[in-house]
């Protein structure tokens, strides 16, 4: 259920010409406290990843930057920047769809459960992985076919 909510956010990103990543944050007592999709191109901000935007919303909703009871659901494994933000915001658990063996913050760099960090985040990858992967493949196939030079640039 929660990963499907994140997938809806990812599709909104893709429709806006953004890399289709969606994220939601669930607090066990409050419920949904943050939801976002990539907006790097829209906001012209390299840090406007779905996870970062969802963390900001969740912190505002809870009234605390510490998200120690929260779980983040995201359609693609967090990058190193987002993994670091998840550690520093003390998110309890991260559940992702597509694993990123080349640039994943956990799979490649081990940031989320590093013994060198002050907090360790529980990880669960591969949730609805095939469905999440299909959205990525379709998006980038469209980018190649339409010769879009970068996401968000709809000119040929």
């Amino acid at each position: 259920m929660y990963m499907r909510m994140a997938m809806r956010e990812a599709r909104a990103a893709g429709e806006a010409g953004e890399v289709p990543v969606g994220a939601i944050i669930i607090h066990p007592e409050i419920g949904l406290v943050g939801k976002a999709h990539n907006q790097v191109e829209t906001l012209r901000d390299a840090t406007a990843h779905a996870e970062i935007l969802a963390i900001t919303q969740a912190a505002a909703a809870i009234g605390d930057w510490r998200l120690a009871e929260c779980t983040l659901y995201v359609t693609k494994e967090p990058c190193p920047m987002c993994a670091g933000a998840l550690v520093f915001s003390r998110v309890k658990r991260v559940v992702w769809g597509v694993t990123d063996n080349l640039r994943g913050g956990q799979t490649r760099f081990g940031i989320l459960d590093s013994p060198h960090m002050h907090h360790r985040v529980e990880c669960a990858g591969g949730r609805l992985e095939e469905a999440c992967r299909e959205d990525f493949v379709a998006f980038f196939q469209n980018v190649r076919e339409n010769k879009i030079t970068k996401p968000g640039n709809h000119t040929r």
Side-chain angles (χ1 to χ4, degrees):
M1 173 172 113
Y2 294 132
M3 186 58 78
R4 294 210 185 277
M5 291 172 70
M7 290 174 67
R8 284 194 289 278
E9 286 294 315
R11 288 183 185 125
E15 290 168 7
E18 299 278 356
V19 174
V21 177
I24 65 161
I25 298 181
I26 303 297
H27 185 281
E29 295 170 9
I30 302 169
L32 180 67
V33 291
K35 71 175 185 168
H37 56 268
N38 276 3
Q39 294 187 54
V40 171
E41 299 296 336
T42 302
L43 300 176
R44 292 173 167 66
D45 179 355
T47 67
H49 289 199
E51 300 94 324
I52 302 290
L53 298 173
I55 288 169
T56 300
Q57 285 184 10
I62 293 171
D64 192 348
W65 60 269
R66 295 170 194 88
L67 305 177
E69 298 180 48
C70 295
T71 299
L72 176 122
Y73 293 83
V74 61
T75 56
K76 183 188 143 308
E77 179 180 358
C79 71
M81 174 183 69
C82 293
L86 291 162
V87 169
F88 284 103
S89 63
R90 294 186 174 89
V91 166
K92 179 179 181 177
R93 184 170 185 242
V94 175
V95 179
W96 68 78
V98 177
T99 296
D100 186 347
N101 292 313
L102 294 176
R103 291 171 292 281
Q106 179 57 28
T107 303
R108 181 71 168 167
F109 299 102
I111 295 169
L112 293 170
D113 67 357
S114 172
H116 304 289
M117 300 297 273
H118 68 284
H119 173 74
R120 292 190 181 115
V121 180
E122 298 171 24
C123 303
R127 183 76 50 91
L128 295 177
E129 185 167 13
E130 192 56 39
C132 292
R133 185 179 314 282
E134 288 172 9
D135 289 344
F136 269 91
V137 170
F139 175 80
F140 286 108
Q141 183 175 14
N142 184 49
V143 168
R144 283 190 302 278
E145 288 173 359
N146 293 304
K147 295 181 176 57
I148 297 172
T149 58
K150 63 180 181 177
N153 180 1
H154 298 287
T155 60
R156 291 182 185 243

